[in-house]
Amino acid sequence: QRTQNQQHQRRSGNLSDSFPSGDEDNTFTGNVDNEINGNWISAPTGSIHEARLKAKVKRRLRKNSSRDSGRGDSLSDTGDVVRSVVPPTSPKGKLLNRRSRMGKGRGLPKKGGAGGKGVWGTPGQVYDEDKVDVKDPNYDAEQENCVYETVVLPLDEETFEKTVTPIVQEYFEHGDANEVAELLAELNLGSMRGDVPMLAVSLALEAKASHRELTSCLLSELCGCVLTADDVEASFHKLLKELPDLVLDTPGAPQMLGQFIARAVADNILPKSFIDGYKGRVDCEYARAALDRAAVLLRMSRWTGLRIDSLWGSGGGQRPVNQLIKEVNLLLKEYLLSGDTVEAERCLRELEVPHFHHEFVYEAVIMVLESKGNRTLQMILQLLKSLCASTVITVDQLRRGFERVYVDMADLSIDVPCAYSLLEKFVEQSFDTGVIDKKLRDLCPCR
């Protein structure tokens, strides 16, 4: 810097010699440019210290220019930093200010709602079908005519039993054969298709009579849409071969299987020559008993008009109420003649109407009032006590049956004048034996 100043002084000396006037020397020498740190600063010749301060301030301004670019800072003649405030409405201030004017952005969606993760475009935008680029290096002309389908593997023996057994058991509850057909159609049964009737009959042998009736209806519905006549015939052939094993779990399997065969022939899902094909060629006594049972039933249907379609009887809840009432009355009358409590309990279970047991209690109490004898009272009381102890008749059904009698006492007393006294006697003895509770006894009406 000293060398540069000396050079400037030499230049000024040479220039002063060329000007004769002394005022012009003072004017020119008062505005000598001095270069400090690479910057030319207009200052008097002797004020080098002030030039250094100004250069230091300029370096500080350049360093903070990115942070304070919108403040409009400038340097005064004295070296002080002058901050000029830009009005907020000035367009220059808006351009220089990089911060958000709203604090959290302008509130507009990015790219008009078409951007962001998981976004396919603006709402309502329709994309055209992508065209195959023949020049694509991954292009394969053979893939254009390919048809992609879901392949369902065929079921093996173990998977078949685990899959179809719940379907059949659920069918025993709802009785909808169409739903079973839809579920089986979704499966790739393959070679196991012929085992569907065999599995259904095997499960029905261990179930109730109403379930066997549902199984016969199911086989008739499935034949034609899911199964073929050959599948049904092959299943019954396998059932006849496995009868020795089925008898171990179900002793009455030969007679039941014979009824299934007769029902299948009557429903035209088995050929009539099925039984004749086994004549003289059966070594197993169980298979011979099943075929004899089927032949007898078919012969009776031709000669006596036996309806094989109602061979198993209708299910409990599917029978009309009048028929159920008749069967309940027959059960009570048979019990009064035989006195066999175990047989009466078995017959009541076979009706399969646990929701209708209140009718059994109602008819039993009415029979006591109409008999006017102590023997009927004691036998009915013993029967109700046995059924309540074995939980065949629930407390709710028992209470409902007694309450129905209480409500109808006004009409019953017309036919039986001493009905009130007989009812009070029966209710007291029922309470003493523990058949009914105190609350139900107190509800007993009196004349």
Side-chain angles (χ1 to χ4, degrees), residues 381 385 424-438 441:
L381 186 61
K385 182 179 179 181
E424 290 179 2
K425 180 180 178 181
F426 181 74
V427 169
E428 285 294 334
Q429 293 190 15
S430 300
F431 174 73
D432 295 338
T433 55
V435 176
I436 62 175
D437 54 4
K438 183 177 181 298
R441 183 198 65 175

Side-chain angles (χ1 to χ4, degrees), residues 12 23-34 42-47:
S12 60
D23 295 335
E24 293 177 355
D25 285 340
N26 293 334
T27 304
F28 186 80
T29 56
N31 296 318
V32 177
D33 294 332
N34 292 321
S42 299
T45 306
S47 60

Side-chain angles (χ1 to χ4, degrees), residues 56-298:
K56 186 176 181 181
V57 171
K58 283 189 177 183
R59 287 197 302 270
R60 191 187 307 122
L61 289 176
R62 292 194 189 99
K63 184 177 181 181
N64 299 331
S65 61
S66 60
R67 184 181 60 186
D68 299 330
S69 59
R71 295 182 181 179
D73 297 340
S74 60
L75 192 66
S76 63
D77 296 337
T78 60
D80 297 332
V81 178
V82 179
R83 300 183 182 273
S84 60
V85 180
V86 181
T89 57
S90 173
K92 181 179 179 182
K94 290 183 179 181
L95 294 175
L96 295 178
N97 191 4
R98 298 183 180 182
R99 292 179 297 176
S100 173
R101 296 184 294 277
M102 300 297 292
K104 294 183 179 180
R106 292 182 293 169
L108 299 178
K110 185 179 179 181
K111 299 181 182 178
K117 183 178 180 181
V119 179
W120 289 76
T122 57
Q125 184 175 357
V126 180
Y127 291 93
D128 297 333
E129 185 177 357
D130 293 337
K131 295 182 180 180
V132 179
D133 188 6
V134 182
K135 299 181 180 180
D136 191 350
N138 296 325
Y139 172 75
D140 189 0
E142 297 180 356
Q143 294 183 356
E144 291 188 5
N145 298 326
C146 292
V147 178
Y148 298 94
E149 294 181 356
T150 303
V151 178
V152 181
L153 298 177
L155 300 179
D156 54 3
E157 185 175 356
E158 183 179 358
T159 310
F160 169 78
E161 187 173 353
K162 291 182 179 180
T163 306
V164 180
T165 300
I167 296 176
V168 178
Q169 291 177 346
E170 187 178 355
Y171 167 72
F172 289 158
E173 300 296 331
H174 58 72
D176 190 357
N178 294 328
E179 182 177 350
V180 179
E182 292 177 359
L183 293 176
L184 293 178
E186 295 176 357
L187 302 176
N188 187 1
L189 298 176
S191 60
M192 305 298 297
R193 186 181 305 276
D195 292 343
V196 174
M198 178 181 173
L199 179 60
V201 173
S202 300
L203 295 174
L205 292 178
E206 302 176 0
K208 304 176 183 178
S210 60
H211 295 165
R212 291 190 281 271
E213 172 65 22
L214 289 173
T215 303
S216 296
C217 296
L218 178 63
L219 296 181
S220 179
E221 292 290 336
L222 294 181
C223 187
C225 60
V226 178
L227 305 174
T228 61
D230 295 336
D231 295 334
V232 178
E233 186 175 356
S235 294
F236 278 102
H237 284 310
K238 293 181 181 179
L239 285 170
L240 288 173
K241 292 180 181 179
E242 294 187 3
L243 261 180
D245 296 334
L246 296 175
V247 170
L248 298 177
D249 298 330
T250 309
Q255 289 74 22
M256 295 180 186
L257 182 57
Q259 294 180 7
F260 271 114
I261 294 174
R263 177 65 180 273
V265 173
D267 292 339
N268 296 324
I269 61 176
L270 266 183
K272 295 181 180 180
S273 60
F274 179 81
I275 301 176
D276 297 336
Y278 279 94
K279 285 184 178 180
R281 299 189 302 130
V282 181
D283 298 331
C284 180
E285 57 177 345
Y286 299 115
R288 190 182 303 112
L291 292 171
D292 292 342
R293 175 66 173 170
V296 168
L297 291 173
L298 291 173

Side-chain angles (χ1 to χ4, degrees), residues 387-441:
L387 294 176
C388 292
S390 60
T391 65
V392 176
I393 296 179
T394 61
V395 178
D396 180 65
Q397 293 292 319
L398 182 70
R399 182 178 67 253
R400 188 174 177 184
F402 271 91
E403 289 176 351
R404 287 182 57 194
V405 176
Y406 294 165
V407 173
D408 295 343
M409 279 304 296
D411 297 334
L412 293 173
S413 61
I414 297 176
D415 299 331
V416 184
C418 59
Y420 281 97
S421 59
L422 291 174
L423 180 63
E424 290 179 2
K425 180 180 178 181
F426 181 74
V427 169
E428 285 294 334
Q429 293 190 15
S430 300
F431 174 73
D432 295 338
T433 55
V435 176
I436 62 175
D437 54 4
K438 183 177 181 298
K439 182 179 180 181
L440 189 58
R441 183 198 65 175

